[in-house]
Amino acid sequence: MNDKIDKALECFKKQDWNGAIDLFTSVLEVDTDNAEIYNNLGLCYANVGDEEKAEKNYLKCIELNPKIPQCYINLSDLYYKQKRLGEGINILSYAIDMLPDDIIFRHYLARFYMEDAKLDLAIDELVYILDKQPDNYDAYYDLAKVYFEFGNYDSAIENFENVLEYKQDNELIYYYLAEAYQANDEIDKAISNFLKSIATNNKFPIPYKKVAILFMARGDYEDAVEYLEDYLNFDIPQEEKDSVNKLIANIKKKMEK
């Protein structure tokens, strides 16, 4: 039996999903109450696209042993992919009841709440996580995104800044922080962070146009033209290029006056 499990795991590592399915299934014919095997079998079925059988095996694993953390994660990933948000919330709430010290379930739950537009409940979970793990920058990031959706830009800014304490030189964080500053009418700080996003990754196109628009709004036309022309060097749709070229032409007319 152990030899057969070893062979199944070897197939699993090689991503020979069908071979692993055959071997894990034969193990269950003898060892019918092996929760770990049901979890592994669920993963195999998920990888071959049979989500119905994957779900069935994950649920059997939880029924046999509700203390296996990975099975809840696998099942919630499946529900998230299928947009079955209510079922995902239910299984994660059950996971928290069974394994209350495992913070990861609360983070998954917060993301389900975010996807389900239950932002106040997402905030509750994320605040709980940060109370237990004050250096969890992923939770700060999600909390910032939720506050941004709520229109609480001060709190969004605070949490994006917290992320930067742990994850510096990330173009996306600078970009989102810039958007929060812009929404909060702090234009100079928005420009500064769009420029930091570009400096961190000059292959990231979106902030070029964003910062150009802000430069144009405050009358810095030369800077606006410079960043719009840089933006045109990226692989963007022709319709977008035509629109940007018209914008550059209009700015240059203003500069001539």
PDB file of all heavy atoms in Angstrom, residues 92 148 182 203 223:
ATOM      1  N   LEU A  92     -15.243  28.518   4.255  1.00  0.00           N
ATOM      2  CA  LEU A  92     -14.167  29.195   4.987  1.00  0.00           C
ATOM      3  C   LEU A  92     -14.604  29.526   6.413  1.00  0.00           C
ATOM      4  O   LEU A  92     -13.786  29.461   7.339  1.00  0.00           O
ATOM      5  CB  LEU A  92     -13.741  30.457   4.239  1.00  0.00           C
ATOM      6  CG  LEU A  92     -12.945  30.180   2.957  1.00  0.00           C
ATOM      7  CD1 LEU A  92     -12.852  31.440   2.101  1.00  0.00           C
ATOM      8  CD2 LEU A  92     -11.541  29.669   3.288  1.00  0.00           C
ATOM      9  N   PHE A 148     -10.237  52.119  -0.637  1.00  0.00           N
ATOM     10  CA  PHE A 148     -10.330  52.886  -1.873  1.00  0.00           C
ATOM     11  C   PHE A 148     -11.723  52.728  -2.482  1.00  0.00           C
ATOM     12  O   PHE A 148     -12.339  53.699  -2.931  1.00  0.00           O
ATOM     13  CB  PHE A 148      -9.258  52.426  -2.867  1.00  0.00           C
ATOM     14  CG  PHE A 148      -9.164  53.295  -4.091  1.00  0.00           C
ATOM     15  CD1 PHE A 148      -8.312  54.382  -4.133  1.00  0.00           C
ATOM     16  CD2 PHE A 148      -9.943  53.022  -5.215  1.00  0.00           C
ATOM     17  CE1 PHE A 148      -8.221  55.191  -5.252  1.00  0.00           C
ATOM     18  CE2 PHE A 148      -9.866  53.819  -6.342  1.00  0.00           C
ATOM     19  CZ  PHE A 148      -8.999  54.901  -6.367  1.00  0.00           C
ATOM     20  N   GLN A 182      -4.418  60.939  -5.943  1.00  0.00           N
ATOM     21  CA  GLN A 182      -5.157  61.705  -6.949  1.00  0.00           C
ATOM     22  C   GLN A 182      -6.621  61.829  -6.547  1.00  0.00           C
ATOM     23  O   GLN A 182      -7.211  62.911  -6.622  1.00  0.00           O
ATOM     24  CB  GLN A 182      -5.035  61.043  -8.316  1.00  0.00           C
ATOM     25  CG  GLN A 182      -5.760  61.811  -9.424  1.00  0.00           C
ATOM     26  CD  GLN A 182      -5.603  61.152 -10.785  1.00  0.00           C
ATOM     27  OE1 GLN A 182      -4.910  60.153 -10.929  1.00  0.00           O
ATOM     28  NE2 GLN A 182      -6.250  61.699 -11.794  1.00  0.00           N
ATOM     29  N   LYS A 203       8.918  49.739 -18.023  1.00  0.00           N
ATOM     30  CA  LYS A 203       8.170  48.988 -19.026  1.00  0.00           C
ATOM     31  C   LYS A 203       6.679  48.911 -18.681  1.00  0.00           C
ATOM     32  O   LYS A 203       5.907  48.241 -19.363  1.00  0.00           O
ATOM     33  CB  LYS A 203       8.722  47.560 -19.168  1.00  0.00           C
ATOM     34  CG  LYS A 203      10.208  47.488 -19.484  1.00  0.00           C
ATOM     35  CD  LYS A 203      10.551  48.129 -20.818  1.00  0.00           C
ATOM     36  CE  LYS A 203      12.022  47.966 -21.145  1.00  0.00           C
ATOM     37  NZ  LYS A 203      12.394  48.678 -22.400  1.00  0.00           N
ATOM     38  N   ASP A 223       6.270  68.627 -19.824  1.00  0.00           N
ATOM     39  CA  ASP A 223       6.329  67.326 -19.153  1.00  0.00           C
ATOM     40  C   ASP A 223       5.198  66.421 -19.632  1.00  0.00           C
ATOM     41  O   ASP A 223       5.392  65.208 -19.830  1.00  0.00           O
ATOM     42  CB  ASP A 223       6.236  67.503 -17.632  1.00  0.00           C
ATOM     43  CG  ASP A 223       7.496  68.090 -17.033  1.00  0.00           C
ATOM     44  OD1 ASP A 223       8.579  67.870 -17.600  1.00  0.00           O
ATOM     45  OD2 ASP A 223       7.404  68.777 -16.003  1.00  0.00           O
TER      46      ASP A 223
END
